[in-house]
């Protein structure tokens, strides 16, 4: 029988501005199939970016493990790529983390920043396993306390220590459920995420952010030269369900603007609320109209001839 290894990992970032995490440390703990530690390391790297001021603020209870100068004295992610890639993509190794989709995303972003191919792997989310097993939600070190793990030598937000804590809580739950680590993961396959899944989700978030920004460029603005004067002086609000189809929402916003109307985040006073073409419950319709608002359907706006 082939014996598997387990790799628990965690990343810390200098900042996550624009939704992109810039790794400054990647800690890992490699174990055998019984979760005995083989090796561990805190791979500290230069994020080549500014640090979020809050990370070193006295108000932040979880400070980064090292100083800014120490991080900046180290090589960047690119220098560690050849070491990390086989560690993660070894077919004989299960990879795991706590809220691991975030960390997979950080690794993806680092690969993109340094023009490297993605490190293709799948990772098991220990957080989801714990939430399901105990029907509760807790932070990593809260789970460690709950499961009576010895954390006396570990510090939160030190990557290798967070990786170690993840391994310890996973080991405890395996013991409590009387299952081997591999069997426990096989029984909960839904908690694996892949590099590709996380990358696609990131692309979707980016698309939604960009499209939403384009839509909101029409907010609080009235066209100085409307193509039509259908909505001159009228105020509009887009119901949140309109944003379920962002391309359609953009066309609607553009039509309102071109018709001389003005869109607001929230209407104050009288105005039109744009809904999708679905039946609105009578009580909701009555409530909306009682406030002085008029209901207008998306299809009505879309029928306007350009």
């Amino acid at each position: 029988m082939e014996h598997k290894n387990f790799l628990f990992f965690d990343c810390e970032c200098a900042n996550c501005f624009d939704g992109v995490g810039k790794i400054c440390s990647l800690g890992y703990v490699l174990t055998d199939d019984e979760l005995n530690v083989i090796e561990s390391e805190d791979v500290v790297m230069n994020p080549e970016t500014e640090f979020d001021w809050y990370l070193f603020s006295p108000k932040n209870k979880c400070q980064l493990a090292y100083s800014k100068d120490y991080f900046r004295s180290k090589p960047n992610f690119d220098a560690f790529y050849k070491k990390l890639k086989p560690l993660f993509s070894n077919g004989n190794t299960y990879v795991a983390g706590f809220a691991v989709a975030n960390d997979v995303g950080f690794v993806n972003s680092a690969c993109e920043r340094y023009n490297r191919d993605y490190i293709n792997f799948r990772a098991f989310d220990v957080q989801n396993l714990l939430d399901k097993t105990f029907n509760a939600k807790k932070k990593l070190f809260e789970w460690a306390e709950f499961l009576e793990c010895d954390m006396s030598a570990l510090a939160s937000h030190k990557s290798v220590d967070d990786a170690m804590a993840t391994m310890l809580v996973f080991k405890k739950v395996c013991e409590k459920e009387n299952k081997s680590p591999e069997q426990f993961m096989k029984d909960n396959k839904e908690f694996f995420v892949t590099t590709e899944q996380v990358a696609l989700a990131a692309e979707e978030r980016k698309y939604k952010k960009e499209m939403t920004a384009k839509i909101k460029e029409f907010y609080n603005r009235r066209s100085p030269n409307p193509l039509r004067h259908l909505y001159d002086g009228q105020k509009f609000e887009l119901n949140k369900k309109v944003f379920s189809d962002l391309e359609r929402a953009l066309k609607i916003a553009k039509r309102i603007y071109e018709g001389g109307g003005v869109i607001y985040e929230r209407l104050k006073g009288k105005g039109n609320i744009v809904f999708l073409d679905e039946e609105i419950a009578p009580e909701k319709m009555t409530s909306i109209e009682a406030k002085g608002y008029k209901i207008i359907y998306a299809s009505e706006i879309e029928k306007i001839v350009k």
Side-chain angles (χ1 to χ4, degrees):
M1 179 179 176
E2 185 180 31
H3 290 280
K4 296 283 188 177
N5 289 335
F6 290 81
L7 181 75
F8 298 85
F9 83 107
D10 176 78
C11 298
E12 293 295 332
C13 294
N15 71 61
C16 291
F17 301 154
D18 298 320
V20 178
K22 293 84 173 179
I23 299 176
C24 58
S25 67
L26 187 157
Y28 70 85
V29 175
L30 183 66
T31 76
D32 61 19
D33 60 347
E34 294 182 347
L35 302 182
N36 299 304
V37 176
I38 297 171
E39 66 174 271
S40 64
E41 184 179 350
D42 209 9
V43 182
V44 182
M45 58 192 75
N46 182 353
E48 297 189 310
T49 187
E50 62 183 301
F51 285 84
D52 190 329
W53 68 270
Y54 187 71
L55 294 173
F56 295 95
S57 168
K59 295 180 181 179
N60 184 7
K61 295 179 181 179
C62 298
Q63 302 278 343
L64 289 181
Y66 311 99
S67 68
K68 294 180 185 179
D69 289 342
Y70 185 75
F71 285 115
R72 288 177 176 145
S73 70
K74 297 298 181 179
N76 62 24
F77 173 85
D78 195 49
F80 298 105
Y81 179 84
K82 289 184 178 179
K83 172 182 178 176
L84 295 173
K85 186 174 181 179
L87 195 64
F88 281 84
S89 54
N90 183 337
N92 195 46
T93 301
Y94 283 104
V95 180
F98 190 88
V100 77
N102 293 330
D103 296 296
V104 175
F106 297 150
V107 174
N108 284 354
S109 295
C111 292
E112 290 171 0
R113 287 182 72 203
Y114 293 98
N115 297 311
R116 290 284 193 168
D117 292 336
Y118 280 152
I119 300 174
N120 292 309
F121 64 100
R122 65 175 193 155
F124 185 82
D125 195 337
V126 174
Q127 181 187 45
N128 285 340
L129 177 69
L130 293 167
D131 290 352
K132 174 189 173 183
T133 303
F134 298 103
N135 193 27
K137 292 185 179 295
K138 300 178 187 291
K139 296 179 180 179
L140 175 57
F141 274 58
E142 290 172 345
W143 278 121
E145 182 180 0
F146 174 80
L147 292 167
E148 299 180 334
C149 301
D150 181 6
M151 307 294 282
S152 58
L154 305 181
S156 178
H157 286 272
K158 182 177 182 181
S159 294
V160 68
D161 285 2
D162 280 354
M164 185 68 76
T166 303
M167 185 276 288
L168 291 174
V169 296
F170 180 64
K171 188 173 186 177
K172 280 283 188 178
V173 76
C174 288
E175 292 170 355
K176 283 183 177 290
E177 297 297 312
N178 195 28
K179 289 186 178 181
S180 72
E182 184 173 12
Q183 189 59 52
F184 217 177
M185 287 188 177
K186 285 182 175 180
D187 289 345
N188 293 276
K189 291 180 180 178
E190 69 273 23
F191 298 143
F192 279 100
V193 296
T194 67
T195 296
E196 184 178 10
Q197 287 172 330
V198 173
L200 288 173
E203 283 296 314
E204 181 67 16
R205 288 193 299 272
K206 182 180 178 182
Y207 167 76
K208 287 182 177 179
K209 182 178 179 181
E210 290 175 350
M211 287 295 290
T212 301
K214 287 181 180 180
I215 293 165
K216 294 193 174 182
E217 285 178 4
F218 291 105
Y219 279 36
N220 305 305
R221 292 175 57 204
R222 182 174 179 178
S223 173
N225 299 297
L227 297 179
R228 298 165 299 277
H229 294 274
L230 185 62
Y231 301 130
D232 277 350
Q234 294 188 44
K235 299 177 180 179
F236 291 80
E237 177 185 323
L238 303 183
N239 179 265
K240 63 182 180 180
K241 288 188 178 180
V242 173
F243 288 84
S244 63
D245 184 337
L246 291 169
E247 289 190 11
R248 188 180 184 190
L250 180 59
K251 290 176 182 177
I252 291 168
K254 187 177 180 182
R255 289 287 180 88
I256 293 171
Y257 176 78
E258 291 174 346
V262 182
I263 307 171
Y264 295 92
E265 190 84 39
R266 290 286 180 270
L267 281 178
K268 293 181 180 179
K270 294 183 178 181
N272 306 289
I273 300 182
V274 181
F275 282 84
L276 292 181
D277 311 321
E278 57 186 33
E279 187 175 341
I280 303 172
E283 60 272 17
K284 184 174 183 180
M285 185 177 292
T286 301
S287 174
I288 291 170
E289 292 174 342
K291 294 176 182 176
Y293 302 134
K294 179 183 176 182
I295 293 171
I296 184 168
Y297 290 100
S299 59
E300 297 177 45
I301 297 172
E302 292 168 323
K303 287 177 182 176
I304 300 169
V305 179
K306 290 186 178 180

